[in-house]
Amino acid sequence: GDSLFPLMDEVTDEQFEKVPEYLRSQISLELLNSAVTKINDYVTDKRFDPEGESSEALTTEELQNKLKLGIKTKAFVLLLMNLGRIRTTKLKGQIVYKIVE
C-alpha cells in the first residue's frame, strides 16, 4: 500500500478459495474483510496515540476487544496467518501478532 505503516489488504475471492475449507466454513469473506478494516483502523489509531505501546503488535485481547467476534476470533487469526497477512512473534514474553509487510 501507500501507507507508511503496514496495513492489510482486503482478501479477494480467489485468495479466500485457497484457504482450507475448515477455516472458510467458520468465517465468511464479508466478515473477514470487515474485520480486516477494523484492524487497519485500529492499528492506524494506535500509531498516533502517544500513550500507545508498540503499535506494530496486536495481542489476542486487543483482537477480541476490537473485532467482537467472540469464539470466532481464533478462526479469524488462523485465516489471516494462512493468508500470510499476519505472523506471530514474542513481545515481553507474550505471543503477539504483527501485520506482514
Side-chain angles (χ1 to χ4, degrees):
D2 44 356
S3 168
L4 253 54
F5 308 107
L7 294 175
M8 283 184 275
D9 291 329
E10 285 203 340
V11 178
T12 65
D13 288 327
E14 200 175 299
Q15 291 166 330
F16 194 64
E17 286 302 313
K18 292 179 180 160
V19 171
E21 171 64 32
Y22 76 93
L23 287 173
R24 276 185 292 151
S25 66
Q26 295 182 58
I27 292 187
S28 69
L29 181 59
E30 292 74 24
L31 184 60
L32 180 63
N33 280 327
S34 156
V36 164
T37 301
K38 285 180 190 173
I39 292 293
N40 284 339
D41 291 347
Y42 177 62
V43 293
T44 301
D45 290 347
K46 203 172 154 180
R47 286 189 180 106
F48 295 104
D49 178 0
E51 304 294 309
E53 204 180 298
S54 185
S55 61
E56 300 301 308
L58 295 162
T59 65
T60 303
E61 290 74 26
E62 284 176 309
L63 290 173
Q64 287 169 336
N65 293 338
K66 291 293 150 205
L67 299 176
K68 311 238 181 295
L69 290 176
I71 58 171
K72 290 183 184 258
T73 305
K74 187 171 185 131
F76 171 75
V77 168
L78 290 171
L79 263 162
L80 290 181
M81 288 176 72
N82 191 283
L83 289 160
R85 296 293 205 279
I86 60 174
R87 63 183 172 83
T88 57
T89 188
K90 273 200 161 170
L91 181 70
K92 298 177 186 162
Q94 177 179 18
I95 296 275
V96 294
Y97 303 96
K98 286 192 167 193
I99 295 174
V100 174
E101 293 187 59

